[in-house]
Amino acid sequence: DNKSDTPKFLYRQFFLTPSATFPHQHNLEGQIGIVTGSNSGLGFEASRQLLSLRISRLILAVRDLPKGEEARRKLAHAAPWAIIDVWQLDLSSYASVQAFARRCDALPKLDFAILNAGILKVEMQVNKSTGHEEVLQVNYLSTALLAIVLLPILAKSSRVSKAGKLTIVGSETAEWAKFQERTSKPILAAFNEPRSFDLQDRYYTSKLLEEFFVSSLCQTVSRYKVVVNIANPGFCYGSGLHAEVTGALGLVFGIYKRMIGRSIAIGARTLVNAAVIQGEQSHGRYLSNCAMAPFALMIEEKSKEAGGTTLWSETMAEFSFADAERIVEWMRA
């Protein structure tokens, strides 16, 4: 099934509506969860829906603390019973990711985490602290590191209840990625080549790399310790992802999103479903419209496995300072 086929994409956008989750179906009382990028857009809406399910404690992980506090006030108004924390998380910084994980480790437990934060850049920028291109850094590298360092924290909760859940927010645009860098050696450094930067394809490729990561990670991580999946919310308007696209192009794109996009309220349903409804069978799987679906064709094809293996090796080497390989190996059954 080629997800990049335009008629099929439009059919999913217009005729498939993810089901909402209601408190009488799934009550989250007593649970603690995290949503990154939760001060606006899909992250904020997913947080609102989790609170409607009576979650006891919700951590809003945000880069901008004042905006996070504003989001907390809005959410708390409708959920006075819940503890809502605002914690800083800057995915441009590995140090921030590690500091955030240390705070999480002090929690009494952690039932699930939704890794939603992501960016789209109009112009190429290189991260000063890591030396990597910024979209690659935020959407792939720091998200992958955060996922790994959260695994043992989520697994601790699995000892006393069902397996913890880790959901990464993906996108079906991964199917449209060219990923020309896959033949480069090394792969990660190839993203720093200015001539290869294209604002749309860089975003698409960052989402494809997330799929490579989940597919590779779950070959080792036991579903009985932590269930890891990736959820596609669909093409949504109101997400704020394209805030940097301004001028005439921004106007045209805004109209396009409004005509074809689904609301963030609909899109966020898929994130909530993946994190709190889906079970062990969703481990290592791609979810779209609250149902399991194939990964991007480039990942499903056996001929592309070499690129994925190289990417995994480079990613683990990048995270050697965090002892990532040991953490992943500890997550075996």
Side-chain angles (χ1 to χ4, degrees), residues 10-17 262:
L10 293 175
Y11 175 81
R12 288 190 294 273
Q13 284 294 120
F14 290 123
F15 299 107
L16 295 183
T17 303
R262 58 174 51 152

Side-chain angles (χ1 to χ4, degrees), residues 137-157:
Q137 183 65 55
V138 171
N139 293 5
Y140 174 60
L141 287 169
S142 291
T143 297
L145 176 63
L146 180 59
I148 290 170
V149 295
L150 287 179
L151 286 174
I153 301 168
L154 287 158
K156 284 193 299 185
S157 300

Side-chain angles (χ1 to χ4, degrees), residues 48-323:
R48 189 193 66 76
Q49 292 181 21
L50 290 166
L51 288 164
S52 76
L53 299 178
R54 309 284 302 183
I55 190 169
S56 293
R57 185 174 180 184
L58 183 64
I59 296 160
L60 310 181
V62 300
R63 182 177 58 84
D64 189 316
L65 286 176
K67 290 182 179 178
E69 284 295 339
E70 183 181 353
R72 186 195 65 78
R73 286 192 293 270
K74 292 177 181 176
L75 292 167
H77 182 72
W81 66 84
I83 298 171
I84 305 174
D85 297 303
V86 179
W87 290 3
Q88 189 158 41
L89 173 65
D90 183 358
L91 292 180
S92 291
S93 164
Y94 286 146
S96 179
V97 171
Q98 290 182 294
F100 180 81
R102 285 193 292 271
R103 291 187 77 176
C104 293
D105 198 30
L107 290 167
K109 66 170 185 168
L110 180 60
D111 294 285
F112 66 86
I114 298 176
L115 308 191
N116 161 76
I119 60 170
L120 181 147
K121 288 288 182 182
V122 174
E123 296 180 352
M124 180 174 169
Q125 295 179 15
V126 175
N127 185 290
K128 292 180 181 178
S129 65
T130 68
H132 292 293
E133 187 275 320
E134 190 70 1
V135 175
L136 175 77
Q137 183 65 55
V138 171
N139 293 5
Y140 174 60
L141 287 169
S142 291
T143 297
L145 176 63
L146 180 59
I148 290 170
V149 295
L150 287 179
L151 286 174
I153 301 168
L154 287 158
K156 284 193 299 185
S157 300
S158 300
R159 296 173 186 170
V160 295
S161 59
K162 62 182 179 180
K165 298 273 190 65
L166 179 69
T167 294
I168 295 177
V169 178
S171 170
E172 62 185 304
T173 60
E175 187 69 73
W176 309 334
K178 297 174 184 177
F179 190 24
Q180 295 171 333
E181 297 83 2
R182 69 182 180 275
T183 57
S184 302
K185 293 183 179 180
I187 292 174
L188 295 176
F191 286 93
N192 280 23
E193 174 54 58
R195 289 175 297 179
S196 70
F197 184 83
D198 173 86
L199 72 94
Q200 284 191 306
D201 189 61
R202 184 53 51 90
Y203 178 78
Y204 299 166
T205 301
S206 71
K207 291 300 178 180
L208 178 69
L209 298 190
E210 290 178 349
E211 292 191 19
F212 268 118
F213 173 72
V214 169
S215 177
S216 300
L217 180 71
C218 293
Q219 291 177 27
T220 302
V221 174
S222 168
R223 70 183 64 207
Y224 302 112
K225 290 187 174 180
V226 179
V227 173
V228 183
N229 55 38
I230 187 163
N232 164 42
F235 187 56
C236 300
Y237 62 83
S239 68
L241 177 65
H242 301 88
E244 287 196 9
V245 184
T246 58
L249 179 60
L251 178 62
V252 171
F253 198 76
I255 294 171
Y256 175 73
K257 285 179 72 175
R258 194 61 184 84
M259 289 175 60
I260 296 178
R262 58 174 51 152
S263 70
I264 55 172
I266 298 296
R269 292 176 179 179
T270 65
L271 315 188
V272 173
N273 175 273
V276 303
I277 303 296
Q278 294 288 337
E280 294 171 0
Q281 75 281 359
S282 72
H283 184 61
R285 299 295 301 271
Y286 171 89
L287 302 164
S288 186
N289 292 300
C290 302
M292 281 174 273
F295 280 113
L297 193 61
M298 197 176 292
I299 293 173
E300 297 286 346
E301 287 181 342
K302 298 296 183 183
S303 61
K304 302 299 189 300
E305 282 187 350
T309 302
T310 304
L311 178 68
W312 177 257
S313 298
E314 288 188 29
T315 302
M316 289 299 99
E318 176 77 10
F319 300 155
S320 60
F321 66 90
D323 212 7

